[in-house]
Amino acid sequence: MSLVRPAAFFGNHELYSIKNGDNTSVAQSTSTSNSDNTESYSSENYGNDPYQPNYESDMIDYDDAQMKLKLQELEHALLDNDDDSDNNYNNGMETENETEDSPKEYSSSGSIFSSTSVATSPKSLLFACAASIQNGNFAEASHMINVLRQRVSIQGEPSGRIAAYMVEALAARVESSGRGLYKALKCKEPPSSDRLSAMQVLFEVCPCFRFGFMAANGAILEACKDENRVHIIDFDINQGSQYYTLLQTLAKTSGRRPHVRLTGVDDPESVQRGVGGLTVIGQRLEQLAKDLRVPFEFHAVTSETALVSPSTLDCQPGEEALVVNFAFQLHHMPDESVSTVNLRDRLLRMVKGLNPKLVTVVEQDVNTNTAPFLIRFGEAYDYYSAVFESLDATLGRDSQDRVNVEKQCLARDIINVVACEGEERIERYEVAGKWRARMSMAGFSSSPIGRNVSGEIRKLIKEYSDRYTVKEENGGLHFGWEDKMLIVCSAWM
């Protein structure tokens, strides 16, 4: 049995759409080729203005006029860069390889206005600006921000694009507008009838994210291959996309198929509520399972993750094998560095108390949690630079999908990581070793990902680019771009 299928991971966005309360199935197109992925998400799906981010109208805890001004400033900065992208990009990036000053040179509080000359690379100016902010030299930082805005663009080479977003994150930190911008950018906006959310596109076209999900599915299927009934709890089901592939793979299984009960948890205030929330997500999955003849039922838990208790999950020990899936969710839970309550570890201990057969964890492999500002800035720069480069391997340089993914999803995360502190910093990623320590302290032991799963993923990932890498380490699968690991999937019991 193939545990990891080369089918389109999320399926077509029209699949099992709910119209007028009736379930209507629509034929699905599946392909993993680069050309097919690009065609599947055409630029027309993102509205008339290709450079217009989507913003919330209700900014919590912010004065409406001030928040509108901040959003206009961000939009103006990015759009102005695009209007003169050729000139600005050439002026700013032609010297990128000529002068790569070490960021350490800017760790002092001395003035470095002379470093804003054309001979200084945008990367060096970024780190100099971050150092000035760290030292409280906001006038100096603002000067460098203005210089950088004239030299970098969200078009062109990845180095220029990452610089354009990083400088806006630094500006948001100076102006204390990071929280509002993070809330305004709609990375997880639910799909309409003719558009996928930017996050779905990211997961579809970036193999490191996509195969993180596929590795988790493979581990789940291997662990439950001899079970009659399987109960999967997903603490951030989002749009349920991961389970399209899981159900499709089960449908290919020879012999008797297990009965799958999926419990999806989602915040009642999430963006999914605009399209019916968990009810519609469950209907789509149930319709797919029906068409595939896979025994399936969906249970919705509309609650903040921190408020979920064992009684709300309706577990049935002895009657079903329990699996818990944490895919890009745990890093949103505050830990001991934010509050003594430590919701992150408390959730893991609660899950351990459920006695699951398997727990899968998929996370970004980078430290944006406890690292101090300057180190965190450097970590974020290296991490997202690799992500931006990897997108060029699957999406064309002029792709509107790439622009929307970077502007709506990646920019959102970058702003939160760089501009926010304390409880306002939501994107708190940790490295693989730290996740291993947390899982061990919660009482879990490693359950290595099977070689058949990793073997199939190794074959499939090379269809994108030879520069993508897969590494097995301490029982987990690490996915990266060249020598930079980006995503790690691990399984626990």
Side-chain angles (χ1 to χ4, degrees):
M1 179 186 69
S2 174
L3 294 174
V4 184
R5 301 177 64 243
F9 182 65
F10 291 104
N12 191 287
H13 61 283
E14 296 179 341
L15 179 65
Y16 306 108
S17 59
I18 307 301
K19 297 182 179 179
N20 301 322
D22 297 326
N23 296 340
T24 305
S25 61
V26 182
Q28 179 185 16
S29 173
T30 59
S31 174
T32 55
S33 68
N34 297 349
S35 59
D36 288 348
N37 281 337
T38 303
E39 293 172 359
S40 298
Y41 311 107
S42 61
S43 60
E44 65 183 0
N45 293 342
Y46 288 90
N48 296 326
D49 184 353
Y51 304 115
Q52 176 65 46
N54 294 311
Y55 298 121
E56 296 280 8
S57 59
D58 51 339
M59 292 295 99
I60 302 174
D61 295 338
Y62 278 82
D63 177 84
D64 289 342
Q66 290 180 335
M67 196 64 253
K68 184 178 292 185
L69 178 61
K70 298 301 182 186
L71 291 170
Q72 289 174 344
E73 289 174 351
L74 174 63
E75 178 184 349
H76 178 73
L78 293 177
L79 292 180
D80 276 358
N81 286 339
D82 287 338
D83 291 340
D84 300 314
S85 60
D86 291 339
N87 292 334
N88 288 343
Y89 177 77
N90 290 333
N91 290 340
M93 301 311 299
E94 64 186 359
T95 58
E96 177 77 318
N97 296 324
E98 296 176 14
T99 307
E100 282 297 335
D101 304 313
S102 170
K104 294 181 180 179
E105 295 179 14
Y106 303 108
S107 60
S108 67
S109 59
S111 174
I112 47 93
F113 278 121
S114 60
S115 296
T116 59
S117 64
V118 175
T120 305
S121 70
K123 177 179 178 180
S124 298
L125 277 181
L126 277 174
F127 281 88
C129 183
S132 293
I133 293 173
Q134 174 69 23
N135 293 322
N137 298 328
F138 298 112
E140 188 174 81
S142 296
H143 170 76
M144 284 184 277
I145 287 170
N146 290 333
V147 172
L148 281 162
R149 281 173 167 170
Q150 299 301 313
R151 296 177 60 182
V152 296
S153 168
I154 62 172
Q155 295 292 336
E157 295 289 336
S159 57
R161 304 199 311 261
I162 183 64
Y165 289 113
M166 294 293 281
V167 71
E168 296 308 321
L170 289 173
R173 186 178 181 92
V174 170
E175 298 170 7
S176 301
S177 61
R179 181 188 182 192
L181 293 175
Y182 176 75
K183 288 179 176 293
L185 292 167
K186 292 182 178 180
C187 181
K188 290 187 178 182
E189 184 182 18
S192 62
S193 60
D194 62 349
R195 185 182 71 177
L196 290 175
S197 71
M199 178 168 283
Q200 280 182 294
V201 177
L202 173 64
F203 288 158
E204 174 67 29
V205 301
C206 185
C208 292
F209 291 89
R210 177 180 179 181
F211 287 116
F213 281 115
M214 296 182 76
N217 280 349
I220 293 170
L221 292 171
E222 275 200 339
C224 301
K225 59 185 177 181
D226 297 323
E227 299 290 344
N228 295 322
R229 296 181 64 87
V230 179
H231 181 193
I232 303 173
I233 299 173
D234 193 309
F235 277 91
D236 185 14
I237 195 168
N238 196 11
Q239 293 155 26
S241 304
Q242 178 177 354
Y243 300 99
Y244 288 126
T245 295
L246 184 72
L247 291 172
Q248 290 163 354
T249 304
L250 276 174
K252 299 293 184 180
T253 304
S254 59
R256 180 175 46 81
R257 299 162 183 169
H259 180 282
V260 177
R261 183 159 68 101
L262 175 61
T263 295
V265 179
D266 198 22
D267 190 325
E269 295 301 316
S270 78
V271 294
Q272 311 304 328
R273 68 188 186 278
V275 291
L278 290 176
T279 300
V280 171
I281 292 170
Q283 288 175 339
R284 289 172 175 164
L285 288 170
E286 287 172 343
Q287 183 61 50
L288 172 60
K290 180 180 179 180
D291 291 349
L292 295 174
R293 297 182 180 180
V294 174
F296 178 82
E297 61 180 291
F298 182 80
H299 176 222
V301 176
T302 306
S303 171
E304 295 180 18
T305 301
L307 301 179
V308 174
S309 65
S311 61
T312 63
L313 299 173
D314 190 28
C315 297
Q316 300 172 10
E319 299 181 14
E320 58 187 13
L322 178 63
V323 173
V324 176
N325 183 50
F326 289 114
F328 303 106
Q329 191 276 336
L330 280 174
H331 70 264
H332 287 144
M333 300 297 293
D335 70 345
E336 68 279 0
S337 66
V338 181
S339 170
T340 55
V341 177
N342 194 353
L343 295 176
R344 188 173 297 189
D345 288 349
R346 188 173 75 175
L347 175 61
L348 291 176
R349 290 194 297 270
M350 188 268 283
V351 168
K352 180 60 179 176
L354 299 175
N355 194 28
K357 182 169 187 177
L358 192 74
V359 174
T360 50
V361 177
V362 185
E363 282 289 349
Q364 290 89 337
D365 191 5
V366 60
N367 181 16
T368 65
N369 183 26
T370 57
F373 170 64
L374 280 180
I375 296 176
R376 186 169 77 245
F377 182 83
E379 290 266 353
Y381 181 90
D382 290 342
Y383 184 87
Y384 288 106
S385 291
V387 174
F388 277 43
E389 288 179 9
S390 71
L391 287 176
D392 274 17
T394 51
L395 294 173
R397 181 62 55 80
D398 298 326
S399 168
Q400 185 54 46
D401 298 326
R402 177 195 59 74
V403 172
N404 280 275
V405 164
E406 292 177 358
K407 177 170 283 188
Q408 295 184 42
C409 273
L410 301 180
R412 181 178 189 264
D413 292 352
I414 290 169
I415 286 173
N416 189 255
V417 168
V418 172
C420 299
E421 296 293 347
E423 293 182 354
E424 295 182 357
R425 182 146 50 83
I426 308 299
E427 306 297 336
R428 291 178 168 270
Y429 312 128
E430 295 189 305
V431 295
K434 189 62 179 289
W435 287 118
R436 286 197 301 271
R438 285 195 187 279
M439 297 301 289
S440 297
M441 288 188 293
F444 293 99
S445 57
S446 176
S447 178
I449 305 292
R451 290 191 175 276
N452 56 336
V453 176
S454 62
E456 289 196 49
I457 289 179
R458 286 181 186 277
K459 294 177 183 178
L460 293 173
I461 204 168
K462 294 303 181 184
E463 295 180 7
Y464 291 85
S465 171
D466 289 337
R467 297 168 72 185
Y468 285 110
T469 56
V470 182
K471 180 177 70 173
E472 297 179 58
E473 186 176 278
N474 295 314
L477 277 183
H478 298 246
F479 305 95
W481 178 252
E482 296 183 332
D483 59 348
K484 180 64 177 177
M485 291 297 109
L486 302 177
I487 301 297
V488 59
C489 176
S490 58
W492 304 84
M493 55 189 300

